Amino acid sequence: MNKRLLILLLILTLSLALMVGSKLWTLKTGEIIELRAEPVDPRSLFRGDYVIITTAIHRINQEDVGGDREFHKNDTIFTLIGEQPDNSWKALSIHHHNPRKQQPLDKQQTVIKGSVSRISGSTYHASYGIENYFIPENSGKEIEQAIGKHAISVRIAVDSAGNAAIHSLLLDGKTLHEEGLF
Amino acid sequence: MLHRKLEQESAAWVESGWITADARQKILAGYQHDTPSLLIRLISVIGVLLLGVGLISFIAANWEAMPKLARLGVLMAFLWGSYLAAGWSLGKGNLPRTGEALLLLGVIAFGANIMLIAQIYHISAHFPDGVLLWTTGGILTAWLLHSQSSMVIAVALSLIWSGTEMLTFDQLHWQWLPVFTLMLTLSVRREWFAAFTLLVIAFYLWMWVFLTVLMPLTGNDYAPVWLGLLVAIVLTMTGRVLSNWIAERRYGDILTSCSLIAAMLSGWLLTFPAILKTVAINAGVEWYTAAMLIVIATITAVDLKQLEPQQRSSLHTKFGLLFAAGFALIAIAFLVSGKLNPIAFNLLYFLALVWLIIGAATERHASRLNLGFFTFAIWLTARYFDTFWDLLDRSLFFLIGGALFIAISIVLERKRRALLADMSHQGREQ
């Protein structure tokens, strides 16, 4: 019994450590880019206060981008994004496989991995795992009230596999919340 | 409760000469511990719940102020503490009921870890994956520590996982089936009948959601009910065959009982002409119905073959064959014409009710007898509304309906009680 209990606890702990480790790996090794966000403030019974982050790369009109075609709901999508002269990031092309493995990227480009959450007409709605940002309780209103009056942006780390993690939340360019590793 | 019932029943056994008075005392002494164990289990569960609520309240009150590492520490302590306490209770502590309750707390703690770590590190990946990880933790706990309650929670979690994939992400989530098979194998190997029962119920719930997601693709909204009915009939018959084939009859009995409920309820839905008319034939429904008919015919033949000569000529078997022939005719007519006839289907349903009630009375199966009478009552109610709602004046409709149903309910309840009493009497005589 003791041996089996120990094995079980190690497996469970390892699976949780992998959850944390993969996020820390992305935060530690990923390239940091800044995306302009349009958050709203829904409340969830189970997950406390959080803001939903939507950026320009979340809505991709396939007529505006290159790359592959024929994506279905829940398909994995690799979005090649590029930095524009005004420092914003824009989707350049979409792919079924990581384009970084096929060709070297320019300095102002990176690839972010996600999935197609919805398709409306010629527009793909993508999720990259950076859509929810949990904030200290009761501070959601503060951010909600800032919408429209202040520029809200999010810094994300993107690793070489395309995985993304939220690094910090910014209000008018000033850091509002920053993620420490521990 | 079991001890009290055993006390009453065993007195009759001594009178019938089945057992001696001495043997009766030994049996009663053997079951003496049964009453307090239920109380202990209840107290353990309440204790675990209170502890859980207290811990959660305390942590929630101080959560924001804690650094990430401290939060992770608290979560790990909760997980390890629950499992280690369970390990001690099951081992040195010799407290199996408390140990089982603490294992349940351990599985809950693992789920809390997943959700709160996702919150701490802003992980918003495909969220059913988190439920799958939680389910895996439950299955592992059940497998490694032989815990039925962990298997029960894993079954429920697996349904949430697959249900979310299907209803939120519109996926035809067949991936649940291998997980289901794994849980089923484990439960059968360990003889966990509660988990087995829940697995059969889970299968039906999953199947209906799966078929509901599948059907809009073929433009046939109510076809899942028809397809579900066919599966329920197949599994009812399979359960009957299994009861005679394998040493442990309970697996077959559980499968038959759960499938009968599923079959009677989905059949009842189809007795509504408005619903039945929408079940149209198309490519998917056609091959599925034909394949299921062949399976039902095969299992029915196997079931008939294994019956004793006496049983083969019984009223129950005759009604069963009549029902089978009627069902085959209706299904073949459906395949040919593309429509199900409401009057023929209602007659068939009535035949199924008679078969169920006669079978339950013959096999002295009280719960199936109750199911028979219950479905008979709701079928009659539905037909009354169908037939007279438009024909009668509203006040007359309710007056006649009320009087009719009071009279019918009295007759049915008397008949049901008489049959149950008869079954109990026959049981004592044997």
Side-chain angles (χ1 to χ4, degrees), chain B residues 27 43 88 281 291:
Chain B
I27 292 169
I43 291 171
W88 180 84
I281 204 88

Side-chain angles (χ1 to χ4, degrees), chain A residues 1 4-5 8-9 13 15-16 19-20 24 47 73-74 129 131-134 136-137 179-182, chain B residues 64 68-69 76 80 83 87 110 113-114 117 119 121-124 137 140-141 144-145 168-171:
Chain A
M1 166 63 84
R4 286 199 300 264
L5 181 65
L8 175 68
L9 274 169
T13 308
S15 64
L16 294 169
M19 262 178 86
V20 176
L24 291 184
R47 306 178 96 182
K73 194 181 170 184
N74 301 316
E131 289 71 35
N132 297 337
Y133 188 80
F134 296 91
E137 209 172 328
E179 284 310 301
L181 292 183
F182 284 105
Chain B
E64 296 297 342
K68 275 183 182 174
L69 206 58
M76 282 296 139
W80 280 70
Y83 274 102
F110 183 58
N113 266 264
I114 295 168
I117 285 175
Q119 192 191 60
Y121 286 96
H122 308 284
I123 299 169
S124 56
L140 279 172
T141 306
L144 287 168
L145 304 179
T168 311
F169 294 94
D170 300 329
Q171 305 233 47

Side-chain angles (χ1 to χ4, degrees), chain A:
Chain A
M1 166 63 84
N2 285 344
K3 200 176 162 190
R4 286 199 300 264
L5 181 65
L6 204 64
I7 291 170
L8 175 68
L9 274 169
L10 286 175
I11 295 172
L12 298 184
T13 308
L14 194 69
S15 64
L16 294 169
L18 275 174
M19 262 178 86
V20 176
S22 65
K23 219 62 184 174
L24 291 184
W25 171 259
T26 303
L27 279 171
K28 184 102 177 143
T29 65
E31 178 188 352
I32 305 288
I33 63 170
E34 193 174 315
L35 301 171
R36 284 171 196 168
E38 309 145 11
V40 282
D41 178 26
R43 274 146 206 274
S44 156
L45 196 64
F46 301 107
R47 306 178 96 182
D49 275 22
Y50 67 92
V51 284
I52 286 188
I53 293 160
T54 309
T55 70
I57 64 167
H58 282 88
R59 284 186 302 271
I60 306 162
N61 190 331
Q62 49 176 322
E63 286 160 13
D64 299 340
V65 293
D68 295 331
R69 288 290 175 267
E70 296 251 342
F71 283 85
H72 301 103
K73 194 181 170 184
N74 301 316
D75 277 0
T76 299
I77 186 168
F78 288 90
T79 310
L80 176 70
I81 56 174
E83 193 173 13
Q84 304 302 297
D86 64 350
N87 293 332
S88 66
W89 288 78
K90 183 185 161 191
L92 303 175
S93 59
I94 49 176
H95 307 265
H96 288 292
H97 303 286
N98 192 345
R100 196 188 283 273
K101 289 180 182 168
Q102 289 148 14
Q103 60 184 55
L105 303 181
D106 289 349
K107 267 192 173 179
Q108 280 79 30
Q109 291 180 345
T110 192
V111 175
I112 182 165
K113 183 185 171 187
S115 66
V116 179
S117 56
R118 195 157 55 90
I119 301 168
S120 49
S122 61
T123 303
Y124 293 127
H125 296 258
S127 304
Y128 300 104
I130 52 163
E131 289 71 35
N132 297 337
Y133 188 80
F134 296 91
I135 47 176
E137 209 172 328
N138 302 324
S139 62
K141 273 273 179 259
E142 185 191 339
I143 296 170
E144 189 187 41
Q145 282 162 1
I147 300 169
K149 295 175 196 161
H150 302 275
I152 295 168
S153 51
V154 61
R155 277 204 188 114
I156 60 166
V158 189
D159 66 23
S160 57
N163 299 309
I166 296 174
H167 179 274
S168 49
L169 192 69
L170 297 99
L171 195 66
D172 289 333
K174 286 181 188 165
T175 305
L176 195 65
H177 294 283
E178 186 173 333
E179 284 310 301
L181 292 183
F182 284 105

Side-chain angles (χ1 to χ4, degrees), chain B residues 16-252:
Chain B
S16 309
W18 294 350
I19 55 169
T20 62
D22 188 39
R24 180 180 177 241
Q25 288 309 321
K26 281 180 185 161
I27 292 169
L28 289 176
Y31 279 87
Q32 196 69 48
H33 65 278
D34 192 70
T35 312
S37 74
L38 185 69
L39 190 68
I40 290 169
R41 194 187 304 181
L42 203 68
I43 291 171
S44 306
V45 170
I46 292 171
V48 160
L49 287 177
L50 287 176
L51 195 70
V53 170
L55 263 172
I56 289 166
S57 314
F58 175 77
I59 294 165
N62 298 286
W63 194 248
E64 296 297 342
M66 287 183 200
K68 275 183 182 174
L69 206 58
R71 291 185 203 181
L72 287 177
V74 167
L75 289 173
M76 282 296 139
F78 184 25
L79 180 74
W80 280 70
S82 308
Y83 274 102
L84 290 177
W88 180 84
S89 303
L90 292 168
K92 282 183 184 168
N94 195 24
L95 299 164
R97 309 283 184 207
T98 312
E100 188 70 16
L102 284 166
L103 279 182
L104 198 66
L105 186 68
V107 178
I108 294 169
F110 183 58
N113 266 264
I114 295 168
M115 284 190 276
L116 290 171
I117 285 175
Q119 192 191 60
I120 294 170
Y121 286 96
H122 308 284
I123 299 169
S124 56
H126 190 65
F127 70 87
D129 290 349
V131 187
L132 172 63
L133 182 62
W134 192 0
T135 307
T136 312
I139 296 174
L140 279 172
T141 306
W143 176 46
L144 287 168
L145 304 179
H146 304 177
S147 159
Q148 178 166 213
S149 55
S150 302
M151 180 57 83
V152 166
I153 201 169
V155 174
L157 286 170
S158 76
L159 260 190
I160 296 173
W161 162 57
S162 195
T164 318
E165 288 281 15
M166 291 194 280
L167 296 173
T168 311
F169 294 94
D170 300 329
Q171 305 233 47
L172 278 173
H173 198 246
W174 56 266
Q175 289 91 330
W176 183 76
L177 287 173
V179 178
F180 166 78
T181 311
L182 177 71
M183 293 188 292
L184 189 71
T185 313
L186 269 173
S187 300
V188 170
R189 273 189 65 182
R190 296 259 168 243
E191 298 198 342
W192 289 334
F193 293 104
F196 181 78
T197 308
L198 192 67
L199 274 162
V200 177
I201 296 169
F203 173 78
Y204 279 109
L205 293 174
W206 177 85
M207 181 188 72
W208 277 314
V209 177
F210 185 86
L211 291 172
T212 308
V213 176
L214 179 72
M215 274 308 119
L217 304 176
T218 56
N220 206 337
D221 284 351
Y222 277 102
V225 187
W226 167 253
L227 305 183
L229 171 68
L230 293 173
V231 173
I233 293 174
V234 167
L235 292 181
T236 302
M237 300 309 290
T238 309
R240 281 176 61 88
V241 173
L242 279 180
S243 294
N244 289 321
W245 273 9
I246 54 176
E248 180 51 80
R249 274 189 70 93
R250 273 184 285 181
Y251 292 117

